[in-house]
């Protein structure tokens, strides 16, 4: 949690990790997720998330977490990625 808090405070935004994980989970489960178009939508994460941005946040978090924690998060993300 310390690593995530530091990352959010210095490089991202408050609750960035939980926001990105929640938005990615919603996005891949949404039946219209394959229709994502960068030029369409409002860009608000809760409404029209940007998949590359969400994945970037999640990849950064995995890169800075201790190995055991990174492995656990990576498994969660991989399960979601299978739906993409």
């Amino acid at each position: 949690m310390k690593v995530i808090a530091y990352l959010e405070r210095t490089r991202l935004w408050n609750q960035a990790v939980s926001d990105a994980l929640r938005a990615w989970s919603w996005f891949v489960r949404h039946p219209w997720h394959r229709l994502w178009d960068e030029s369409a939508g409002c860009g608000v994460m809760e409404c029209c998330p940007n998949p590359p941005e969400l994945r970037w946040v999640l990849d950064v978090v995995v890169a800075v977490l201790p190995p055991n924690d990174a492995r656990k998060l990576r498994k969660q993300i991989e399960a979601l990625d299978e739906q993409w």
Side-chain angles (χ1 to χ4, degrees):
M1 293 306 290
K2 282 180 165 182
V3 173
I4 291 174
Y6 179 77
L7 180 66
E8 289 178 340
R9 188 173 57 253
T10 60
R11 294 183 53 202
L12 301 171
W13 64 90
N14 190 33
Q15 300 296 317
V17 177
S18 62
D19 289 350
L21 193 55
R22 183 176 35 257
W24 184 246
S25 177
W26 173 83
F27 181 78
V28 298
R29 289 185 171 116
H30 193 282
W32 292 54
H33 73 267
R34 297 207 183 270
L35 300 177
W36 178 78
D37 179 5
E38 186 174 359
S39 64
C42 65
V44 174
M45 190 176 298
E46 293 81 8
C47 176
C48 305
N50 180 333
E53 180 183 340
L54 297 176
R55 285 313 314 254
W56 177 83
V57 170
L58 296 173
D59 290 341
V60 166
V61 173
V62 167
V64 300
L65 284 174
N68 191 37
D69 295 330
R71 194 173 313 113
K72 290 176 185 176
L73 181 58
R74 196 175 304 115
K75 285 178 92 171
Q76 280 186 286
I77 295 169
E78 287 172 357
L80 294 170
D81 288 349
E82 289 178 14
Q83 298 177 39
W84 171 249

